[in-house]
Amino acid sequence: MPSYPALSRPRPGPRRRTLLAGAAGATGAVLLTGCSDAASGDRDGSSAAAERLRARAARDSAALLRRYDAVLAAHAPLAARLRPLRDEVARHEEAFADGERHTPAPSASARRAAAQAPVDRDAKEALRSLARAERELARRREKQLLDAPGELARLLAAVAAAGAAHAFLLTENDRGDGERDDK
C-alpha cells in the first residue's frame, strides 16, 4: 500500500470544520426565525386566522371521515384495508379539533364534495374516489400551511403527507408496471 506524504504546510483560509460549523449555526438561526411564531407576534398560534384555519381543517377531516364511513358501509369486504386509514383520519380530525371530541359541521366545500360523490357500487371505483378526495385535501392543506403559524403549519404538513400516502395506498393495486400517478 503506497504511503501518501503529509502536507507540510497548512492551506490558506478557514478550515472545512469551521465553515461547516458557521453554516450550521447560520442555517439554524434562519430556520428558527423562519419557523417561529414570534416574528408574527403570535406566540401560541391562537390568532383568529389560525383558529379559523384549524376549524376548517377539522371540518374537512370530518367530511373525509364520513366518506370513509360511507364506503365502509357500502363495501364491507374493504374493511380490513380501509379501517387503519379511517382511524388515522379520525385522529387527524381530533388533532385539528385541538383534542376536543366533537364532530364540527362540515365546510360548504366538504358538504358539496360529499353530496356530489355518492359511493360507487364498484369497490375499485369507490377506492379511487376516496383516493381522489385524499389527494385533493392534501393539496389544499399544502397551500394552507403557507399561511399557518409554526405549530399548525407542521400539523398541516404532516397530515397532508399522510393524505398523500393514503391516496397511494388506496390505489396501489391499480398500478401496473411502469404506471405513474403524476402524469
Side-chain angles (χ1 to χ4, degrees), residues 16-73:
R16 195 174 6 187
R17 271 189 229 139
T18 306
L19 288 174
L20 290 174
T27 303
V30 169
L31 288 174
L32 289 174
T33 304
C35 292
S36 172
D37 294 331
S40 65
D42 183 21
R43 296 208 51 90
D44 63 357
S46 64
S47 72
E51 289 305 314
R52 284 191 302 273
L53 185 56
R54 181 181 286 277
R56 179 177 180 186
R59 287 190 305 268
D60 289 344
S61 289
L64 184 59
L65 188 60
R66 284 191 298 276
R67 288 184 77 150
Y68 269 94
D69 289 340
V71 171
L72 282 165

Side-chain angles (χ1 to χ4, degrees), residues 34-140:
C35 292
S36 172
D37 294 331
S40 65
D42 183 21
R43 296 208 51 90
D44 63 357
S46 64
S47 72
E51 289 305 314
R52 284 191 302 273
L53 185 56
R54 181 181 286 277
R56 179 177 180 186
R59 287 190 305 268
D60 289 344
S61 289
L64 184 59
L65 188 60
R66 284 191 298 276
R67 288 184 77 150
Y68 269 94
D69 289 340
V71 171
L72 282 165
H75 300 285
L78 295 175
R81 184 173 181 185
L82 294 182
R83 184 67 56 193
L85 303 177
R86 184 237 177 252
D87 292 346
E88 192 166 305
V89 171
R91 286 190 297 274
H92 296 163
E93 177 193 7
E94 188 176 327
F96 284 122
D98 208 17
E100 298 175 21
R101 288 193 175 266
H102 70 289
T103 302
S107 66
S109 63
R111 281 192 305 265
R112 253 190 327 274
Q116 292 173 353
V119 177
D120 198 287
R121 293 180 124 171
D122 178 43
K124 279 191 171 191
E125 190 53 42
L127 290 175
R128 286 186 200 112
S129 175
L130 268 177
R132 280 190 299 272
E134 285 274 17
R135 252 189 309 277
E136 177 186 321
L137 186 54
R139 287 181 185 131
R140 267 201 330 259

